[in-house]
Amino acid sequence: MSQHEKDTNGSGKGGTGDHAVLLRRHGEAIALFGSRVHRVRAGQWDDPTPCAEWTVRDLVGHLTVEQLWVPRLVRDGATIEEVGDDYDGDRLGDDPAGAWDRAAVAAVAAFSEPGALDRTVHLSSGDSPAAAYCSQMTMDAVVHSWDLSRAIGTDERLPPELASAALREVEPYADELAATSMFADPVTPPPGADDLTRLLCLLGRRP
């Protein structure tokens, strides 16, 4: 979820629960996406993804940049203006998986510092609890793990507890996300759909 996307989704109402659970879910979601990054084969980086106009490399680059923002916003208390264009352009270089790994480790460490989730972060939309930001980032990693899985032809099944947490996070502002160019219109899920299917359909995916 880009800084522009964060403008649309408010404070991330799902992010203010138990911090230990939130940190565990966040770490699991980041590890999940990382496991998919390391399954990308050499010839797949230019393949399309379920995200409109994004290749596999674009998708991994997007999530990598999102992780690079975390230490600056959470640990340093920086504003969007202070970070500026530091992370514009290609951040993957010749080692996309390595670039992801380094950014992911730094992001998890920043959120895991004592008291980090009690802080306030300065997003484009205004001040937000760091816990809400962490919940947003967890949801983002879960959804894009499915996108990357489909793009590279690997297992699309995701841990049910992560799917449920992501669904709870995004439901309050899903209508606002649908109004942006980043997400397709919601799809009606089949009767009896599980939380992963409901999550994906809510965000315009077709599982």
Side-chain angles (χ1 to χ4, degrees):
M1 182 176 298
S2 71
Q3 295 305 314
H4 295 296
E5 288 173 75
K6 292 186 183 72
D7 282 345
T8 69
N9 66 19
S11 62
K13 297 177 181 63
T16 56
D18 182 81
H19 287 179
V21 173
L22 177 55
L23 287 173
R24 184 172 69 251
R25 291 284 183 262
H26 174 260
E28 291 168 348
I30 294 299
L32 177 67
F33 187 80
S35 72
R36 274 28 180 197
V37 172
H38 282 273
R39 295 182 192 179
V40 179
R41 298 187 296 274
Q44 293 184 309
W45 289 102
D46 291 328
D47 287 355
T49 72
C51 304
E53 300 181 3
W54 276 2
T55 65
V56 168
R57 185 181 177 92
D58 293 333
L59 176 57
V60 174
H62 169 74
L63 264 290
T64 298
V65 168
E66 287 301 297
Q67 308 320 306
L68 292 173
W69 276 88
V70 174
R72 300 292 298 278
L73 297 177
V74 175
R75 184 195 63 213
D76 301 340
T79 65
I80 300 299
E81 292 75 21
E82 288 170 340
V83 177
D85 60 1
D86 286 359
Y87 303 126
D88 288 358
D90 176 46
R91 308 300 300 183
L92 298 182
D94 296 330
D95 181 17
W100 159 261
D101 288 342
R102 291 186 292 274
V105 167
V108 169
F111 276 129
S112 300
E113 288 180 0
L117 296 186
D118 295 317
R119 298 170 190 161
T120 296
V121 292
H122 309 293
L123 305 180
S124 302
S125 53
D127 290 352
S128 172
Y133 177 40
C134 185
S135 186
Q136 294 168 10
M137 295 288 280
T138 301
M139 180 274 295
D140 205 43
V142 172
V143 173
H144 287 317
S145 291
W146 182 86
D147 291 332
L148 187 53
S149 297
R150 171 153 290 193
I152 66 175
T154 194
D155 189 0
E156 296 177 11
R157 294 173 296 177
L158 306 183
E161 63 276 9
L162 286 181
S164 297
L167 179 63
R168 289 194 302 271
E169 163 60 29
V170 77
E171 279 181 320
Y173 50 80
D175 289 344
E176 297 170 49
L177 293 181
T180 74
S181 60
M182 300 299 296
F183 293 89
D185 291 336
V187 176
T188 301
D194 61 15
D195 281 354
L196 176 58
T197 301
R198 290 173 58 205
L199 171 70
L200 297 171
C201 289
L202 189 62
L203 295 178
R205 273 70 172 171
R206 296 183 179 275

